[in-house]
Amino acid sequence: MQVQTNQSLSVDCAVFGFDGETLKVLLIERPAYNALDRLKLPGSMILENETLPEAAYRVLEEATGLRQRDLYLRQMEIFSDPKRVEGDELAWIRQRHNIHTERVVTVGYYALLKLNGRLIDYTRSKGAQWVEVDRIQRLAMDHKAILTAGLGYLCREMQQSPVAFELLPRKFTIRALQRLFEAVLGIEIDNRNFRKKMLSSGFLQPTGEKEQGVAHKPAEYYTFDRNAYRKALKAKLRMGFIDNWRY
Amino acid sequence: MQVQTNQSLSVDCAVFGFDGETLKVLLIERPAYNALDRLKLPGSMILENETLPEAAYRVLEEATGLRQRDLYLRQMEIFSDPKRVEGDELAWIRQRHNIHTERVVTVGYYALLKLNGRLIDYTRSKGAQWVEVDRIQRLAMDHKAILTAGLGYLCREMQQSPVAFELLPRKFTIRALQRLFEAVLGIEIDNRNFRKKMLSSGFLQPTGEKEQGVAHKPAEYYTFDRNAYRKALKAKLRMGFIDNWRY
């Protein structure tokens, strides 16, 4: 075993969106090459003058047109198995970038954004597509494993902080919020308990507006009150450190 | 800007220990080279057949003799500034490893261990030393920034989970626990409140043994009851997700 210099570093992003019913992830179709899987996560080698987060934001802007301020992006784990890219996949990378790399280590990121018609049109124009997470069987290289890790992070984070609202439009119904939790956590949640819990949290602000043109009884729209949340959090942290231990 | 292949990946570890009074970090002295700083964090390039965590555990075992099961090791951030290693520092790396790398990206890890006489002897025999964190002015390359990041992680984690006990001997006094919190958080804590809070948590188990040969009134030794902690945590998580949001 020895030190190697002909290795490369890349970023790969699991970008999640929610359409009101199902959780979706952004996939890129790459040109056919041998019998390799066509669909992959958006990603890139890092360029010589950029840091890893800069590379990740660049990849996301290329795929979605969104800037840093409009995205929730977090680094997750690093995929450094020496055999994660080999054989035809390594040949594809060498050919695509015209480099003689022997090994590619990739840093996984996950991103959350607000899915809407304009965004879907944009990504489609870039050759990308939004695919329901539950329907994905295989992806290029180890991208299925990266997606699974991203889902794990999202699942944990949604139970620890209000990231759910990064995936919802500014105004949303409690039903949409519940559907999002159900889609991500893979569980069924009792309607009445969920509604009661969310309304009693003090973090949801009624807008007075209701759904229009729906077959069922129109539901009210709410917004997330980030200031109320921050205040409550501050008060909780003041209670003292041992009460906040959680893992 | 273009894709590069002559780049290298390394790991650098901020290894913390607590001697009952102050927080210390493990530093390695490297051979003199030009006017470069001599002291650095333990670290290594990744070898061709190992993953990043494997490289980090190898570095720690080389420096401390401790195996994975005796260490608390966590990955923290990645340091990918294209200019983090250049000039004489890059020349030192090229000479030391006999490689022609243009860029070194490093993954920062932080580790916690139980400092004792045997361990201090071992690290000394390996040319490493335990230095009080507050006295460190400069380190090689960007290792001061990596150390600072490690301290930040430790600081946050100690307020969120019982990692403090990774730094204490199995049996400890409440005073030692308090001194550890004070050293890491950089604050003074009220003795009586701290004692009351810790004892009422239900996580500390009295051993019935007391300090011996001390000038002051001998204090009782306690152990951390990990099972009681896990049970309490489980009950807390059952209370429902929104109550657990914290950032």
Side-chain angles (χ1 to χ4, degrees):
Chain A
M1 292 211 294
Q2 54 183 38
V3 169
Q4 235 177 5
T5 52
N6 49 350
Q7 56 194 11
S8 306
L9 250 179
S10 62
V11 294
D12 285 297
C13 308
V15 187
F16 295 106
F18 178 65
D19 66 2
E21 289 296 333
T22 61
L23 185 70
K24 303 202 157 171
V25 69
L26 187 63
L27 298 180
I28 306 279
E29 197 163 340
R30 60 179 176 172
Y33 181 87
N34 295 350
L36 295 180
D37 285 298
R38 297 285 289 274
L39 290 175
K40 62 186 284 296
L41 298 176
S44 170
M45 296 292 167
I46 57 169
L47 303 182
E48 62 181 23
N49 289 320
E50 68 186 357
T51 65
L52 284 157
E54 284 165 1
Y57 280 117
R58 171 174 56 78
V59 163
L60 289 184
E61 190 174 344
E62 283 165 10
T64 67
L66 297 174
R67 301 296 191 89
Q68 184 163 345
R69 63 171 180 277
D70 301 314
L71 284 164
Y72 178 92
L73 178 77
R74 290 292 180 275
Q75 187 213 301
M76 45 173 196
E77 59 206 271
I78 310 174
F79 296 82
S80 61
D81 182 337
K83 299 194 186 305
R84 63 171 290 273
V85 179
E86 53 182 358
D88 279 352
E89 288 288 6
L90 191 57
W92 178 74
I93 285 172
R94 286 172 173 170
Q95 180 191 301
R96 184 177 177 202
H97 297 288
N98 192 27
I99 53 177
H100 294 285
T101 191
E102 296 291 339
R103 177 176 179 180
V104 186
V105 171
T106 199
V107 180
Y109 284 82
Y110 80 110
L112 309 179
L113 46 70
K114 295 175 193 301
L115 204 56
N116 57 40
R118 203 175 47 78
L119 182 59
I120 291 171
D121 288 346
Y122 187 94
T123 48
R124 191 178 296 135
S125 77
K126 296 286 173 180
Q129 51 191 282
W130 291 94
V131 182
E132 200 180 320
V133 168
D134 286 342
R135 291 176 184 271
I136 297 172
Q137 304 285 337
R138 300 167 52 95
L139 291 174
M141 295 173 269
D142 58 352
H143 287 198
K144 184 77 199 294
I146 299 175
L147 170 60
T148 301
L151 267 176
Y153 273 76
L154 175 57
C155 207
R156 276 192 300 280
E157 230 193 322
M158 257 180 64
Q159 293 173 82
Q160 292 179 8
S161 75
V163 290
F165 304 107
E166 307 289 339
L167 288 164
L168 290 172
R170 203 177 68 79
K171 297 177 190 178
F172 51 85
T173 63
I174 297 203
R175 188 184 172 279
L177 182 59
Q178 180 180 337
R179 280 298 299 132
L180 174 55
F181 271 102
E182 290 178 330
V184 172
L185 305 184
I187 54 171
E188 272 189 51
I189 300 173
D190 178 77
N191 292 355
R192 278 177 67 175
N193 279 347
F194 185 82
R195 194 178 174 80
K196 215 174 114 188
K197 195 150 207 124
M198 287 296 150
L199 290 179
S200 68
S201 71
F203 304 151
L204 298 192
Q205 196 76 44
T207 63
E209 296 169 45
K210 293 204 167 182
E211 288 180 305
Q212 295 195 329
V214 287
H216 53 83
K217 191 182 156 212
E220 182 161 7
Y221 284 114
Y222 291 82
T223 58
F224 174 57
D225 187 343
R226 200 166 289 275
N227 284 335
Y229 172 69
R230 285 201 185 117
K231 255 189 211 159
L233 181 64
K234 240 176 162 170
K236 197 171 168 184
L237 290 176
R238 248 200 314 275
M239 278 165 46
F241 34 86
I242 205 171
D243 305 314
N244 295 311
W245 285 354
R246 49 173 307 129
Y247 52 88
Chain B
M1 294 212 292
Q2 55 182 35
V3 169
Q4 236 177 4
T5 52
N6 48 350
Q7 56 194 10
S8 305
L9 249 179
S10 62
V11 294
D12 285 298
C13 307
V15 186
F16 295 106
F18 179 65
D19 65 3
E21 289 297 332
T22 61
L23 186 70
K24 303 203 155 169
V25 69
L26 187 64
L27 298 180
I28 306 280
E29 196 164 339
R30 59 178 176 172
Y33 181 88
N34 295 349
L36 295 180
D37 286 299
R38 298 284 289 275
L39 290 174
K40 64 186 283 296
L41 299 176
S44 169
M45 297 291 168
I46 58 168
L47 303 181
E48 62 181 22
N49 290 320
E50 68 186 357
T51 65
L52 284 157
E54 283 164 1
Y57 280 117
R58 172 174 56 79
V59 163
L60 289 183
E61 190 175 344
E62 282 165 9
T64 67
L66 297 175
R67 301 297 191 89
Q68 183 163 347
R69 63 170 180 276
D70 301 315
L71 285 163
Y72 179 91
L73 178 77
R74 291 290 181 274
Q75 188 215 301
M76 44 172 197
E77 60 205 271
I78 309 174
F79 297 83
S80 62
D81 182 338
K83 298 192 188 306
R84 64 171 289 272
V85 179
E86 54 183 357
D88 278 354
E89 288 288 8
L90 192 56
W92 177 75
I93 285 172
R94 286 173 173 169
Q95 182 191 299
R96 183 177 178 204
H97 297 289
N98 192 27
I99 54 176
H100 295 284
T101 189
E102 297 290 339
R103 177 177 180 179
V104 185
V105 170
T106 199
V107 180
Y109 283 81
Y110 80 109
L112 309 178
L113 45 72
K114 296 176 193 299
L115 204 55
N116 57 40
R118 203 175 47 78
L119 183 58
I120 291 172
D121 289 344
Y122 187 95
T123 48
R124 191 178 296 135
S125 76
K126 295 287 173 180
Q129 49 191 283
W130 291 94
V131 182
E132 201 181 320
V133 168
D134 287 342
R135 291 176 185 271
I136 297 171
Q137 304 285 335
R138 300 167 51 95
L139 290 173
M141 297 173 268
D142 58 352
H143 287 198
K144 185 76 199 295
I146 299 174
L147 171 59
T148 302
L151 267 176
Y153 272 76
L154 175 57
C155 208
R156 276 193 299 280
E157 231 195 322
M158 257 180 63
Q159 294 172 81
Q160 291 178 10
S161 75
V163 289
F165 305 106
E166 306 289 339
L167 289 164
L168 290 173
R170 202 177 68 81
K171 297 176 189 179
F172 51 85
T173 63
I174 297 206
R175 188 182 172 281
L177 182 58
Q178 181 180 337
R179 282 296 301 131
L180 174 55
F181 271 102
E182 289 178 331
V184 172
L185 305 183
I187 55 171
E188 273 191 50
I189 300 173
D190 179 75
N191 292 355
R192 277 178 66 176
N193 279 347
F194 185 82
R195 193 178 175 77
K196 214 173 113 188
K197 196 151 208 123
M198 287 297 150
L199 290 180
S200 68
S201 72
F203 304 152
L204 298 193
Q205 195 77 42
T207 64
E209 296 170 44
K210 292 201 168 184
E211 287 179 306
Q212 296 196 327
V214 289
H216 54 82
K217 190 182 156 213
E220 182 162 7
Y221 285 113
Y222 290 82
T223 58
F224 174 58
D225 187 343
R226 200 166 289 275
N227 283 335
Y229 172 69
R230 284 200 186 119
K231 257 189 211 160
L233 181 65
K234 239 175 163 172
K236 197 170 168 185
L237 290 176
R238 247 200 314 273
M239 278 165 47
F241 34 85
I242 205 172
D243 306 311
N244 295 312
W245 285 355
R246 48 174 309 130
Y247 51 90

PDB file of all heavy atoms in Angstrom, chain B residues 8-12 44 52 77-80 84 104-108 142-143 146:
ATOM      1  N   SER B   8      -3.988  15.090  -3.740  1.00  0.00           N
ATOM      2  CA  SER B   8      -3.887  14.072  -2.707  1.00  0.00           C
ATOM      3  C   SER B   8      -4.928  14.302  -1.637  1.00  0.00           C
ATOM      4  O   SER B   8      -5.387  15.418  -1.428  1.00  0.00           O
ATOM      5  CB  SER B   8      -2.507  14.122  -2.047  1.00  0.00           C
ATOM      6  OG  SER B   8      -1.507  14.017  -3.029  1.00  0.00           O
ATOM      7  N   LEU B   9      -5.255  13.224  -0.972  1.00  0.00           N
ATOM      8  CA  LEU B   9      -6.230  13.280   0.113  1.00  0.00           C
ATOM      9  C   LEU B   9      -5.550  12.823   1.390  1.00  0.00           C
ATOM     10  O   LEU B   9      -4.860  11.807   1.407  1.00  0.00           O
ATOM     11  CB  LEU B   9      -7.357  12.304  -0.193  1.00  0.00           C
ATOM     12  CG  LEU B   9      -8.717  12.880  -0.533  1.00  0.00           C
ATOM     13  CD1 LEU B   9      -9.665  11.736  -0.820  1.00  0.00           C
ATOM     14  CD2 LEU B   9      -9.258  13.753   0.570  1.00  0.00           C
ATOM     15  N   SER B  10      -5.766  13.579   2.446  1.00  0.00           N
ATOM     16  CA  SER B  10      -5.164  13.186   3.711  1.00  0.00           C
ATOM     17  C   SER B  10      -6.206  13.251   4.819  1.00  0.00           C
ATOM     18  O   SER B  10      -7.325  13.738   4.627  1.00  0.00           O
ATOM     19  CB  SER B  10      -3.981  14.110   4.039  1.00  0.00           C
ATOM     20  OG  SER B  10      -4.410  15.441   4.194  1.00  0.00           O
ATOM     21  N   VAL B  11      -5.829  12.729   5.980  1.00  0.00           N
ATOM     22  CA  VAL B  11      -6.636  12.886   7.190  1.00  0.00           C
ATOM     23  C   VAL B  11      -5.760  13.584   8.228  1.00  0.00           C
ATOM     24  O   VAL B  11      -4.554  13.375   8.268  1.00  0.00           O
ATOM     25  CB  VAL B  11      -7.109  11.526   7.759  1.00  0.00           C
ATOM     26  CG1 VAL B  11      -8.065  10.842   6.804  1.00  0.00           C
ATOM     27  CG2 VAL B  11      -5.935  10.605   8.070  1.00  0.00           C
ATOM     28  N   ASP B  12      -6.368  14.449   9.030  1.00  0.00           N
ATOM     29  CA  ASP B  12      -5.678  15.066  10.158  1.00  0.00           C
ATOM     30  C   ASP B  12      -6.595  14.983  11.366  1.00  0.00           C
ATOM     31  O   ASP B  12      -7.797  15.238  11.249  1.00  0.00           O
ATOM     32  CB  ASP B  12      -5.317  16.528   9.838  1.00  0.00           C
ATOM     33  CG  ASP B  12      -4.141  16.606   8.871  1.00  0.00           C
ATOM     34  OD1 ASP B  12      -3.051  16.137   9.233  1.00  0.00           O
ATOM     35  OD2 ASP B  12      -4.314  17.134   7.756  1.00  0.00           O
ATOM     36  N   SER B  44      -2.032  11.777   7.985  1.00  0.00           N
ATOM     37  CA  SER B  44      -1.388  10.951   6.961  1.00  0.00           C
ATOM     38  C   SER B  44      -2.115  11.104   5.632  1.00  0.00           C
ATOM     39  O   SER B  44      -3.303  11.410   5.598  1.00  0.00           O
ATOM     40  CB  SER B  44      -1.446   9.479   7.380  1.00  0.00           C
ATOM     41  OG  SER B  44      -1.063   8.628   6.321  1.00  0.00           O
ATOM     42  N   LEU B  52     -11.095   6.581   4.096  1.00  0.00           N
ATOM     43  CA  LEU B  52     -10.706   7.671   4.993  1.00  0.00           C
ATOM     44  C   LEU B  52     -10.783   7.279   6.471  1.00  0.00           C
ATOM     45  O   LEU B  52      -9.833   7.536   7.217  1.00  0.00           O
ATOM     46  CB  LEU B  52     -11.565   8.911   4.718  1.00  0.00           C
ATOM     47  CG  LEU B  52     -11.158   9.653   3.440  1.00  0.00           C
ATOM     48  CD1 LEU B  52     -12.308  10.472   2.900  1.00  0.00           C
ATOM     49  CD2 LEU B  52      -9.957  10.538   3.716  1.00  0.00           C
ATOM     50  N   GLU B  77     -15.267  18.497   9.570  1.00  0.00           N
ATOM     51  CA  GLU B  77     -15.356  19.049   8.219  1.00  0.00           C
ATOM     52  C   GLU B  77     -14.168  18.696   7.320  1.00  0.00           C
ATOM     53  O   GLU B  77     -13.176  18.134   7.766  1.00  0.00           O
ATOM     54  CB  GLU B  77     -15.549  20.556   8.281  1.00  0.00           C
ATOM     55  CG  GLU B  77     -14.449  21.293   8.969  1.00  0.00           C
ATOM     56  CD  GLU B  77     -14.969  22.620   9.536  1.00  0.00           C
ATOM     57  OE1 GLU B  77     -14.934  23.594   8.802  1.00  0.00           O
ATOM     58  OE2 GLU B  77     -15.396  22.650  10.702  1.00  0.00           O
ATOM     59  N   ILE B  78     -14.304  19.039   6.062  1.00  0.00           N
ATOM     60  CA  ILE B  78     -13.249  18.814   5.079  1.00  0.00           C
ATOM     61  C   ILE B  78     -12.595  20.161   4.798  1.00  0.00           C
ATOM     62  O   ILE B  78     -13.285  21.172   4.679  1.00  0.00           O
ATOM     63  CB  ILE B  78     -13.847  18.258   3.771  1.00  0.00           C
ATOM     64  CG1 ILE B  78     -14.754  17.060   4.079  1.00  0.00           C
ATOM     65  CG2 ILE B  78     -12.743  17.870   2.799  1.00  0.00           C
ATOM     66  CD1 ILE B  78     -15.491  16.544   2.854  1.00  0.00           C
ATOM     67  N   PHE B  79     -11.288  20.169   4.726  1.00  0.00           N
ATOM     68  CA  PHE B  79     -10.569  21.408   4.451  1.00  0.00           C
ATOM     69  C   PHE B  79     -10.082  21.365   3.012  1.00  0.00           C
ATOM     70  O   PHE B  79      -9.124  20.668   2.688  1.00  0.00           O
ATOM     71  CB  PHE B  79      -9.429  21.572   5.463  1.00  0.00           C
ATOM     72  CG  PHE B  79      -9.967  21.703   6.873  1.00  0.00           C
ATOM     73  CD1 PHE B  79     -10.311  20.580   7.612  1.00  0.00           C
ATOM     74  CD2 PHE B  79     -10.186  22.954   7.416  1.00  0.00           C
ATOM     75  CE1 PHE B  79     -10.857  20.696   8.881  1.00  0.00           C
ATOM     76  CE2 PHE B  79     -10.733  23.090   8.687  1.00  0.00           C
ATOM     77  CZ  PHE B  79     -11.064  21.959   9.417  1.00  0.00           C
ATOM     78  N   SER B  80     -10.774  22.114   2.143  1.00  0.00           N
ATOM     79  CA  SER B  80     -10.533  21.977   0.707  1.00  0.00           C
ATOM     80  C   SER B  80     -10.139  23.290   0.048  1.00  0.00           C
ATOM     81  O   SER B  80     -10.211  23.394  -1.176  1.00  0.00           O
ATOM     82  CB  SER B  80     -11.768  21.378   0.030  1.00  0.00           C
ATOM     83  OG  SER B  80     -12.886  22.231   0.190  1.00  0.00           O
ATOM     84  N   ARG B  84      -4.645  25.806   0.768  1.00  0.00           N
ATOM     85  CA  ARG B  84      -4.354  25.473   2.169  1.00  0.00           C
ATOM     86  C   ARG B  84      -2.926  24.946   2.373  1.00  0.00           C
ATOM     87  O   ARG B  84      -2.355  25.098   3.446  1.00  0.00           O
ATOM     88  CB  ARG B  84      -5.383  24.511   2.765  1.00  0.00           C
ATOM     89  CG  ARG B  84      -5.455  23.141   2.144  1.00  0.00           C
ATOM     90  CD  ARG B  84      -6.356  22.211   2.959  1.00  0.00           C
ATOM     91  NE  ARG B  84      -5.725  21.850   4.222  1.00  0.00           N
ATOM     92  CZ  ARG B  84      -4.900  20.813   4.372  1.00  0.00           C
ATOM     93  NH1 ARG B  84      -4.626  20.018   3.357  1.00  0.00           N
ATOM     94  NH2 ARG B  84      -4.353  20.556   5.540  1.00  0.00           N
ATOM     95  N   VAL B 104      -3.495  19.332  -1.747  1.00  0.00           N
ATOM     96  CA  VAL B 104      -3.859  18.340  -0.739  1.00  0.00           C
ATOM     97  C   VAL B 104      -5.153  18.784  -0.051  1.00  0.00           C
ATOM     98  O   VAL B 104      -5.210  19.843   0.572  1.00  0.00           O
ATOM     99  CB  VAL B 104      -2.762  18.176   0.335  1.00  0.00           C
ATOM    100  CG1 VAL B 104      -3.135  17.037   1.294  1.00  0.00           C
ATOM    101  CG2 VAL B 104      -1.413  17.912  -0.303  1.00  0.00           C
ATOM    102  N   VAL B 105      -6.175  17.969  -0.204  1.00  0.00           N
ATOM    103  CA  VAL B 105      -7.429  18.188   0.518  1.00  0.00           C
ATOM    104  C   VAL B 105      -7.368  17.293   1.747  1.00  0.00           C
ATOM    105  O   VAL B 105      -6.986  16.126   1.643  1.00  0.00           O
ATOM    106  CB  VAL B 105      -8.644  17.826  -0.359  1.00  0.00           C
ATOM    107  CG1 VAL B 105      -9.924  17.816   0.463  1.00  0.00           C
ATOM    108  CG2 VAL B 105      -8.760  18.792  -1.531  1.00  0.00           C
ATOM    109  N   THR B 106      -7.714  17.838   2.915  1.00  0.00           N
ATOM    110  CA  THR B 106      -7.657  16.988   4.095  1.00  0.00           C
ATOM    111  C   THR B 106      -9.012  16.893   4.771  1.00  0.00           C
ATOM    112  O   THR B 106      -9.803  17.843   4.763  1.00  0.00           O
ATOM    113  CB  THR B 106      -6.588  17.470   5.099  1.00  0.00           C
ATOM    114  OG1 THR B 106      -6.281  16.380   5.993  1.00  0.00           O
ATOM    115  CG2 THR B 106      -7.057  18.650   5.949  1.00  0.00           C
ATOM    116  N   VAL B 107      -9.290  15.721   5.325  1.00  0.00           N
ATOM    117  CA  VAL B 107     -10.520  15.506   6.069  1.00  0.00           C
ATOM    118  C   VAL B 107     -10.165  15.560   7.552  1.00  0.00           C
ATOM    119  O   VAL B 107      -9.287  14.827   8.010  1.00  0.00           O
ATOM    120  CB  VAL B 107     -11.154  14.146   5.710  1.00  0.00           C
ATOM    121  CG1 VAL B 107     -12.434  13.931   6.499  1.00  0.00           C
ATOM    122  CG2 VAL B 107     -11.432  14.084   4.216  1.00  0.00           C
ATOM    123  N   GLY B 108     -10.807  16.466   8.270  1.00  0.00           N
ATOM    124  CA  GLY B 108     -10.534  16.621   9.693  1.00  0.00           C
ATOM    125  C   GLY B 108     -11.328  15.629  10.527  1.00  0.00           C
ATOM    126  O   GLY B 108     -12.516  15.401  10.277  1.00  0.00           O
ATOM    127  N   ASP B 142      -2.444  24.509   7.993  1.00  0.00           N
ATOM    128  CA  ASP B 142      -3.669  25.092   8.567  1.00  0.00           C
ATOM    129  C   ASP B 142      -4.138  24.283   9.776  1.00  0.00           C
ATOM    130  O   ASP B 142      -5.326  24.268  10.099  1.00  0.00           O
ATOM    131  CB  ASP B 142      -4.779  25.150   7.508  1.00  0.00           C
ATOM    132  CG  ASP B 142      -5.095  23.772   6.940  1.00  0.00           C
ATOM    133  OD1 ASP B 142      -4.353  22.814   7.249  1.00  0.00           O
ATOM    134  OD2 ASP B 142      -6.071  23.646   6.192  1.00  0.00           O
ATOM    135  N   HIS B 143      -3.190  23.608  10.452  1.00  0.00           N
ATOM    136  CA  HIS B 143      -3.597  22.726  11.540  1.00  0.00           C
ATOM    137  C   HIS B 143      -4.187  23.474  12.730  1.00  0.00           C
ATOM    138  O   HIS B 143      -4.978  22.915  13.479  1.00  0.00           O
ATOM    139  CB  HIS B 143      -2.423  21.833  11.965  1.00  0.00           C
ATOM    140  CG  HIS B 143      -2.119  20.761  10.966  1.00  0.00           C
ATOM    141  ND1 HIS B 143      -1.375  19.644  11.246  1.00  0.00           N
ATOM    142  CD2 HIS B 143      -2.484  20.639   9.660  1.00  0.00           C
ATOM    143  CE1 HIS B 143      -1.295  18.882  10.173  1.00  0.00           C
ATOM    144  NE2 HIS B 143      -1.949  19.470   9.201  1.00  0.00           N
ATOM    145  N   ILE B 146      -7.746  23.573  11.941  1.00  0.00           N
ATOM    146  CA  ILE B 146      -8.359  22.248  12.121  1.00  0.00           C
ATOM    147  C   ILE B 146      -8.584  21.986  13.612  1.00  0.00           C
ATOM    148  O   ILE B 146      -9.634  21.487  14.020  1.00  0.00           O
ATOM    149  CB  ILE B 146      -7.478  21.141  11.487  1.00  0.00           C
ATOM    150  CG1 ILE B 146      -7.331  21.395   9.974  1.00  0.00           C
ATOM    151  CG2 ILE B 146      -8.061  19.755  11.750  1.00  0.00           C
ATOM    152  CD1 ILE B 146      -6.372  20.451   9.263  1.00  0.00           C
TER     153      ILE B 146
END
